[in-house]
Amino acid sequence: MKRAPSALVSIGSFGVAVATLSVATTAAIVILAPPPPTQRTSAMDAIAALQHPMPGFERRLLPARPKGAPVRMLQGLIAAELNRAPGDVHVAWLDGATGTGPFGGGVRTTVVTTQGVKLPPSLVLLQRKNNSFELVSPTTVSGAIRNPLLGLPLPAFTASVRQADNRWLSVAPAQPLLAGWQRNILIALAVSLALLAPMAWIFARRLTRPFRALAGALDHHHAVVPQDGPRELREAAARIATMRNRLAIEAAERARILTAIAHDLRTPLTGLRLRLETAPEPQRGRMVADVERMQAMIDEVLAYARGAAAPVELLDVRPLLAAIVDEMAEGGAPIRLVPGEEARIAVPTLAFRRAIENLLGNALAYAGGGAVAVRRAEGHVLVSVADQGPGIPPAERERLLRPFERGDNSRNRDTGGAGLGLSIVSDFAAQHGGDFTLSDAPGGGTIATLRLPEVATAGDNTARYRVG
């Protein structure tokens, strides 16, 4: 038989595959994606932003002249356009670059001399005129040439102008929240996530399916424990199945012992009852009552043992409740069935009937009557018995679910009982994947709620319980 792979191997392999795919996808997108366009602006836009606020530019006042290598050509052009002295204007590349071509930042300065006249070290414009070139200062260049230069898109730069109070008004293109390379990385991560998420979901579903099947089988005591999936899960499932079978055998043996003891006690009790008939009053009445209480306790133990050993059946809840209520109402008991939903469960009929009869018996004994209701909620069937009695304090509710505990501390003969009713209902609910709770009724009294898994009816896809 082929050995199942380990969960560690499966999870580890998946992790390596996910990491490899993620890195490969991110690297491919970063490498293949075209570089983002460089942010560009023109001197004309900067001049407009200096004159008045405009979208796409940030304006701020600086206490001193901005730092940074000046772009002398742009400074001259902007100064001439604003009719300001070149010293009142400062232009620098936004990213600190020196620029290229005629708009260079002045890292290297070439001093040109002509006929013994030393020209200024600032950059100048070469203008073609009459088949010759002349050195022309940016402040004196003609409008026909200056205007195209002012509108020429250039890498982003800051432009600053001295104000009357010696502060500097500086404008620069608004910077995006994320740089181009950051956007590329985020896009790569988003694409990787979009590719990996479905694969991770499918793998997780496949990996956890055996665990969900095992959990479902454990919730339903009669379902077969599945033994598939990773090797560790198969080994755990096999041990759980073995332990479950052992517990079932022990429970059956315990029920058999209880049945035998209870059955054997009935014979001497019957003989004792016959002998008590000859005892004088009033002792005879008290002793007979004690024997009857002992007989009732034995009957409860026998009913519990028989119900625990009974096979599971599919039950229509409402018709069975209606039959129980009709039987009890024939004796004059004020019990009624509230209109509600139809539902089906999978439990032993005798055990379910015994649980409902115990709840209705308590309602009659302590509150003089009650009402039974059925409803469906989230894949479960809720059968509740409500009464208008004195109620049960919250501190007492957990204690009353234990065997041989009664709310009537005096244990008087009027209410009778051995204190097994609620504990039998609670054990029954736990054995069949449900629970049992006690709560306060809205108008006073107690609501006892038995919650059991629902079995799907024909055409019903909402139920979450299946008989194994």
Side-chain angles (χ1 to χ4, degrees):
M1 180 178 178
K2 185 178 179 180
R3 192 180 188 188
S6 169
L8 179 62
V9 173
S10 301
I11 297 174
S13 301
F14 175 71
V16 171
V18 168
T20 302
L21 182 58
S22 176
V23 172
T25 304
T26 302
I29 293 176
V30 171
I31 293 173
L32 299 177
T38 305
Q39 188 177 18
R40 306 185 77 83
T41 188
S42 67
M44 189 64 71
D45 292 334
I47 291 171
L50 286 169
Q51 293 174 337
H52 54 79
M54 63 179 297
F57 279 84
E58 297 177 350
R59 292 163 54 97
R60 55 179 180 163
L61 283 173
L62 303 177
R65 185 184 183 91
K67 297 180 180 181
V71 185
R72 299 188 183 279
M73 173 60 78
L74 285 177
Q75 286 184 178
L77 290 173
I78 294 176
E81 189 70 16
L82 294 175
N83 294 322
R84 302 291 296 270
D88 291 341
V89 178
H90 179 83
V91 177
W93 299 117
L94 190 61
D95 58 0
T98 59
T100 58
F103 297 97
V107 175
R108 293 183 58 189
T109 300
T110 302
V111 178
V112 182
T113 58
T114 303
Q115 298 178 354
V117 179
K118 186 176 180 180
L119 296 177
S122 62
L123 294 178
V124 296
L125 175 68
L126 293 177
Q127 182 182 16
R128 185 171 183 177
K129 184 177 180 181
N130 298 327
N131 296 324
S132 63
F133 291 90
E134 297 178 358
L135 294 176
V136 182
S137 171
T139 59
T140 61
V141 68
S142 65
I145 296 179
R146 187 168 66 239
N147 290 337
L149 292 177
L150 290 173
L152 183 66
L154 297 172
F157 59 87
T158 61
S160 307
V161 176
R162 190 197 307 269
Q163 303 298 297
D165 57 359
N166 286 327
R167 291 189 299 175
W168 289 76
L169 175 63
S170 179
V171 298
Q175 296 297 304
L177 180 63
L178 297 175
W181 66 272
Q182 292 173 318
R183 290 196 300 271
N184 285 346
I185 294 297
L186 290 179
I187 292 173
L189 293 177
V191 173
S192 299
L193 179 62
L195 293 176
L196 293 176
M199 186 177 71
W201 174 256
I202 294 173
F203 181 84
R205 292 283 297 177
R206 291 188 59 186
L207 184 63
T208 57
R209 186 183 298 119
F211 292 91
R212 296 194 303 272
L214 178 60
L218 293 179
D219 285 340
H220 178 26
H221 293 266
H222 302 279
V224 177
V225 176
Q227 298 186 18
D228 55 0
R231 184 171 65 250
E232 293 86 350
L233 181 62
R234 293 189 181 193
E235 294 173 355
R239 286 169 173 77
I240 290 174
T242 302
M243 179 183 66
R244 187 174 177 182
N245 293 335
R246 185 171 65 251
L247 291 176
I249 294 173
E250 292 176 356
E253 182 65 18
R254 184 171 62 252
R256 188 188 66 81
I257 293 174
L258 285 175
T259 303
I261 293 174
H263 184 270
D264 291 344
L265 285 175
R266 300 180 83 175
T267 301
L269 279 177
T270 302
L272 182 61
R273 173 68 181 273
L274 294 175
R275 292 182 178 87
L276 289 177
E277 294 296 332
T278 60
E281 292 288 356
Q283 290 83 359
R284 185 180 68 84
R286 296 194 184 97
M287 290 187 290
V288 169
D290 290 338
V291 170
E292 289 177 347
R293 290 181 61 202
M294 294 176 64
Q295 185 67 50
M297 293 173 60
I298 292 173
D299 290 340
E300 287 189 8
V301 172
L302 280 173
Y304 173 75
R306 293 192 186 103
V312 172
E313 303 173 73
L314 289 177
L315 303 180
D316 291 316
V317 177
R318 178 162 290 278
L320 182 57
L321 290 178
I324 296 173
V325 169
D326 290 342
E327 291 174 5
M328 299 186 72
E330 288 179 358
I335 299 292
R336 63 187 181 90
L337 178 61
V338 178
E341 301 175 277
E342 298 289 339
R344 300 183 75 192
I345 57 176
V347 294
T349 303
L350 183 61
F352 179 73
R353 173 183 280 272
R354 181 64 174 173
I356 300 302
E357 289 175 349
N358 283 345
L359 296 179
L360 293 176
N362 283 344
L364 287 172
Y366 295 97
V372 189
V374 183
R375 64 185 179 91
R376 300 162 60 192
E378 299 180 353
H380 287 78
V381 176
L382 281 70
V383 180
S384 58
V385 176
D387 62 53
Q388 300 298 317
I392 301 174
E396 293 289 309
R397 293 169 186 169
E398 184 176 354
R399 179 183 66 82
L400 292 178
L401 298 183
R402 297 195 294 265
F404 303 106
E405 295 285 351
R406 296 177 57 197
D408 180 13
N409 292 326
S410 65
R411 296 180 180 268
N412 60 65
R413 288 183 171 84
D414 294 332
T415 56
L420 290 175
L422 295 182
S423 67
I424 289 176
V425 178
S426 179
D427 289 345
F428 165 76
Q431 288 174 1
H432 297 283
D435 56 55
F436 175 65
T437 57
L438 298 171
S439 59
D440 293 328
T446 303
I447 297 179
T449 303
L450 178 61
R451 180 173 173 268
L452 295 169
E454 180 185 5
V455 175
T457 56
D460 183 3
N461 296 321
T462 62
R464 303 175 184 175
Y465 180 88
R466 183 168 59 88
V467 179

